[in-house]
């Protein structure tokens, strides 16, 4: 499907920035903006397990729209989870509240790898339906589709749940590289298939989350992860939608993550955006990077940080404002709204011709 | 007290490397080598809470010596915890098994800061006694004293326990800088006092752990942390013992952590040692940096990593081999022993004159 966006979408600040064109203001959205920080989210989700919620278009549409309504952000992000496509394709995984993805039978051998398969559109009619309805309701606001990158998804499947050190995953990489590559290869297919479903249904950008890649040395990333992530980006290139790539703690990896095929590189709070631009090497739009902890420090501490980030973002051919990681569940929605308005307004005035 | 070491200590591989002089082989020790990975440790600790164990010289001496006996490492590290001196000075903190330091009443205001005071030698006669006995038993093997750096200790006191994002700590830094600096200042005094007790009793090097500093941006580190850490290093300079500084995930901070006054800079596995040397800027010995996850990958995967690390370590005027973080509790002691022997032997043969 070629990219044929309605004019209003094409001129949206998010897509202009993601393409390195000049937007009317610096666009803003927040990773995990559709989530627990919003009381209206908690109300909708009450009593409904995460993975069940993701199969119900009424819930997915409502939750995805909530932050757009409340904050006036420049993009919606599809409400899903990186393990959702595995579950939809029959893999036994659950999401435990306050913990994250948990796998009853972690993958340790070829039999385990064999249990992983990509979704087909027939597996996820609710995804297609949700995206189509969202695109229709969102009008000129772009919808970002998303998927988990092979390493981060693999870490849950191999460790059995969230991990601090990824010891079993790294032991598999180094101790049985063939097994590792067969798993990562399948997970690349999973990501490709899930992103394809979302883009075919109308998502106008995609973000591939390799949230935990920062736990790897650049050497390990290049050898064990980059080829698989590159295949994901390459496989969706023909859609012509911007491809964003993000992980926390990836200061050492920004050049490689960019080289994997990202059109836009997400940056956490540790590396200033202008320094990130230098590490990326080739001129590309960047996304980020307010430290989420600053949300709790009071407006007087936040405002100068926003000014600094907007100034540093000018080093890139495009800047999408975001946090340096997801919205913390206990964040104050009023603060996020104020940040949205401030960034949109401050960046607009800066663009007024002299 | 000036440094007047017996000759055998002065010619120990660890101290020679830490001083940038040529050791007979690359010295090896492991952060958290005295710990749960050892069955003999688990046996000694059975039924004895951590903070109680630390007040008993018989236990501290035995546990500190265990890895020296078993692995033949080139240095012992004093068995303690970064919150031990707080506890000894009357602060209400506990160490919960499997969790870490836990504070019943987290510090959020000036009253809380007022509860923090440094130890005096009279508070910790057992520390003095343990160190003296250890130094006597260790003979030519150096004992490394240690303390927690202000930021990392503060993070436990402000958050109330281990944290992923240090949100409350960072909110205090940015939202109430005066309060933050008064807390960090007191914690610098705590570290200085605790290191002084250990060195006065005979420890021949010190390591200051800022384990979680890598959660900070360089900007925040420089403004909120560096001055306090620098004061710690400066205050103990007159002892003339090597001062080592370490935190995980500090690729962005290596130059600043070195500038704070470290004689030796510890490096985690994300940054190769030769690249670390470049970031440090001035020629200094380095310590590190095998990814602890590799311990589980089998010897065939480990050996080339050791060769690589030894080769990269030659970029520094001294290299102390270590893991890039602490020994995982489920590590196999046989693997650690094999690594010790391999590094000591491989580095020795490399130094044989041609």
């Amino acid at each position: 499907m070629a990219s044929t966006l309605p004019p209003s979408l094409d001129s949206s600040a998010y897509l202009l920035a993601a393409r390195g064109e000049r937007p009317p203001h610096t666009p803003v959205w927040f990773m995990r903006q559709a989530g627990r920080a919003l009381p209206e989210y908690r109300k909708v989700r009450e009593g409904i397990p995460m993975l069940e919620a993701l199969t119900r278009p009424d819930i997915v549409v409502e939750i995805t729209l909530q932050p757009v309504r409340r904050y006036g952000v420049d993009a919606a992000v599809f409400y899903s989870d990186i393990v959702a496509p595995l579950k939809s394709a029959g893999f036994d995984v659950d999401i435990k509240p306050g913990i994250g993805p948990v796998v009853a039978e972690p993958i340790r051998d070829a039999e385990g790898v064999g249990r992983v398969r990509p979704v087909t559109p027939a597996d996820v009619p609710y995804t297609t339906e949700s995206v189509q309805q969202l695109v229709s309701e969102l009008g000129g606001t772009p919808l970002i589709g998303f998927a988990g990158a092979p390493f981060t998804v693999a870490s849950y499947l191999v460790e059995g749940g969230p991990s601090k050190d990824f010891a079993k995953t790294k032991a598999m990489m180094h101790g049985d590289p063939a097994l590792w590559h067969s798993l990562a290869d399948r997970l690349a297919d999973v990501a490709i298939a899930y992103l394809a479903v979302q883009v075919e249904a109308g998502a106008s950008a995609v973000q591939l989350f390799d949230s935990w890649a920062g736990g790897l040395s650049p050497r390990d990333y290049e050898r064990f992860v980059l080829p698989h992530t590159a295949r994901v980006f390459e496989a969706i290139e023909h859609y012509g939608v911007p491809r964003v790539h993000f992980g926390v703690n990836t200061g050492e990896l920004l050049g490689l993550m960019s080289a994997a095929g990202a059109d836009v590189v997400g940056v956490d709070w540790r590396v200033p955006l202008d320094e990130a631009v230098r590490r990326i090497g080739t001129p590309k739009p960047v996304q980020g990077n307010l430290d989420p902890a600053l949300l709790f420090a009071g407006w007087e501490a936040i405002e100068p940080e926003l000014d600094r980030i907007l100034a540093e973002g000018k080093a890139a051919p495009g800047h999408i404002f975001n946090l340096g990681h997801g919205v913390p569940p206990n964040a104050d929605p009023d603060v996020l709204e104020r940040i949205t308005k401030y960034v949109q307004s401050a960046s607009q005035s800066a663009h007024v011709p002299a």
Side-chain angles (χ1 to χ4, degrees), chain A:
Chain A
M1 190 182 92
S3 175
T4 50
L5 305 170
S8 58
L9 260 181
D10 252 338
S11 62
S12 74
Y14 172 87
L15 286 177
L16 287 171
R19 296 192 154 120
E21 294 162 26
R22 174 161 287 223
H25 62 264
T26 300
V28 183
W29 74 281
F30 303 109
M31 292 183 282
R32 225 174 274 164
Q33 63 187 11
R36 277 190 287 160
L38 290 175
E40 57 267 38
Y41 169 88
R42 298 194 295 269
K43 196 172 164 199
V44 170
R45 273 289 313 282
E46 217 172 328
I48 305 173
M50 179 83 169
L51 287 170
E52 185 192 325
L54 298 181
T55 63
R56 290 182 44 183
D58 59 329
I59 293 182
V60 170
V61 168
E62 167 59 20
I63 289 177
T64 301
L65 291 174
Q66 284 174 348
V68 179
R69 279 188 215 122
R70 184 190 270 252
Y71 303 136
V73 284
D74 293 282
V77 61
F78 188 59
Y79 178 64
S80 184
D81 187 274
I82 61 169
V83 300
L86 290 170
K87 181 77 174 181
S88 303
F91 191 88
D92 186 11
V93 56
D94 197 10
I95 300 178
K96 295 209 175 165
I99 297 177
V102 175
V103 174
E105 287 183 74
I107 294 177
R108 301 286 156 77
D109 52 24
E111 181 279 321
V113 173
R115 283 185 274 134
V116 175
R117 72 166 183 85
V119 282
T120 64
D123 292 322
V124 286
Y126 39 84
T127 302
T128 300
E129 185 186 336
S130 301
V131 171
Q132 285 172 339
Q133 194 178 330
L134 277 165
V135 169
S136 152
E137 298 210 16
L138 282 163
T141 302
L143 176 69
I144 306 167
F146 93 89
F151 169 71
T152 293
V153 177
S155 78
Y156 289 103
L157 305 188
V158 176
E159 307 288 338
S163 169
K164 278 185 193 172
D165 54 13
F166 313 108
K168 294 185 180 70
T169 314
K170 290 176 175 180
M172 183 190 287
M173 286 175 175
H174 286 270
D176 193 345
L179 182 66
W180 163 259
H181 283 296
S182 70
L183 173 59
D185 188 54
R186 290 216 174 201
L187 290 172
D189 286 333
V190 170
I192 291 164
Y194 195 52
L195 292 174
V197 166
Q198 295 170 72
V199 177
E200 299 268 2
S204 46
V206 294
Q207 181 155 329
L208 187 67
F209 283 86
D210 210 353
S211 307
W212 312 136
L216 297 168
S217 68
R219 190 181 318 102
D220 283 0
Y221 180 87
E222 194 165 7
R223 178 174 166 204
F224 296 113
V225 177
L226 191 145
H228 305 288
T229 297
R231 194 162 70 77
V232 176
F233 282 128
E234 201 186 342
I236 58 169
E237 186 176 14
H238 68 100
Y239 289 118
V241 301
R243 297 160 295 174
V244 189
H245 199 22
F246 173 77
V248 276
N249 197 8
T250 53
E252 309 295 330
L253 304 178
L254 290 171
L256 294 169
M257 290 177 75
S258 168
D263 299 309
V264 179
V265 179
V267 183
D268 90 354
W269 66 90
R270 292 176 180 85
V271 180
L273 293 179
D274 48 358
E275 170 62 19
V277 167
R278 278 189 287 277
R279 294 187 193 183
I280 291 165
T282 51
K284 281 186 187 181
V286 293
Q287 177 174 278
N289 68 347
L290 180 71
D291 188 339
L294 262 292
L295 298 176
F296 306 99
W299 186 255
E300 279 174 39
I302 295 172
E303 194 177 304
E305 293 286 303
L306 302 181
D307 292 339
R308 176 182 61 73
I309 291 165
L310 287 172
E312 290 165 354
K314 287 182 182 158
H319 175 206
I320 297 161
F321 185 91
N322 209 311
L323 304 181
H325 198 180
V327 172
N330 58 337
D332 178 351
D334 290 348
V335 173
L336 290 164
E337 185 184 351
R338 192 164 176 187
I339 290 172
T340 307
K341 305 290 184 245
Y342 184 88
V343 170
Q344 289 170 339
S345 158
S347 60
Q348 188 166 38
S349 53
H351 277 261
V352 167

